[in-house]
Amino acid sequence: MMGNMGGMSDMMGMMKRMHGQMMGGGMMGGMGPMGGGMMQMFDADGDGTVTPEEMRAGLQAKLTEYDSDGDGTLSIAEFEALHSAMIREMMVDRFQHLDADGDGAITAEEMAAPADKMERMQKMRDAMGQMQPGESPGMGDGDMMNND
């Protein structure tokens, strides 16, 4: 079923679609600069770019590694093991990002931090949108220098 390279690229495409948005954008960023930790495993020369050749070699290595029965294909159970291993690193990174104090536990405040940041950004955008042309943020109405 997935023993050919077409199946391998289909697998990577499916994984990208499944997790690209959830993990903060595309995983590949095209074939140029890396967009996520998942793709780093395929960057064999460490130059920050994954070539098609590097991806083929990496995907073939993953197929071989997770093909536990040695039949050249991945069953759903074998694919599940591969998929879980590939997304675990991103999950741990996200956990560590949320765990601001590094204590190994995410509090309600830490869990809400992305929403709090979003709210602050929205307020900044709203304030910028309400400014008159030529007005600078934080400068008031310009009367601060007049001491009449």
Side-chain angles (χ1 to χ4, degrees):
M1 175 171 138
M2 297 188 87
N4 63 36
M5 293 315 289
M8 295 300 288
S9 63
D10 291 346
M11 174 180 68
M12 195 62 199
M14 179 186 70
M15 291 175 77
K16 179 182 177 211
R17 286 188 301 277
M18 285 173 45
H19 296 285
Q21 294 300 318
M22 180 177 76
M23 297 300 174
M27 291 184 293
M28 292 174 47
M31 287 296 194
M34 304 284 244
M38 185 182 242
M39 290 304 296
Q40 290 176 353
M41 73 177 72
F42 297 118
D43 184 15
D45 60 10
D47 68 354
T49 300
V50 176
T51 65
E53 294 78 18
E54 287 174 318
M55 183 176 280
R56 274 188 203 95
L59 289 170
Q60 185 58 50
K62 292 294 179 192
L63 177 102
T64 301
E65 179 181 354
Y66 287 90
D67 178 19
S68 60
D69 61 10
D71 69 354
T73 66
L74 294 180
S75 66
I76 188 68
E78 292 166 332
F79 181 80
E80 181 180 15
L82 166 64
H83 185 266
S84 295
M86 292 180 81
I87 65 170
R88 179 164 172 64
E89 183 178 333
M90 290 188 305
M91 180 272 303
V92 170
D93 288 346
R94 186 65 189 144
F95 179 89
Q96 290 172 338
H97 177 77
L98 287 172
D99 182 19
D101 61 9
D103 68 352
I106 298 172
T107 65
E109 292 80 17
E110 290 169 327
M111 191 71 165
D116 295 342
K117 181 177 180 178
M118 180 187 286
E119 183 176 39
R120 287 190 306 272
M121 296 299 290
Q122 183 63 49
K123 286 179 181 179
M124 288 173 52
R125 279 192 294 275
D126 291 348
M128 295 295 285
Q130 294 174 4
M131 288 178 22
Q132 299 298 317
E135 184 180 357
S136 297
M139 297 304 289
D141 61 9
D143 288 339
M144 290 175 58
M145 301 304 273
N146 290 336
N147 292 335
D148 294 332

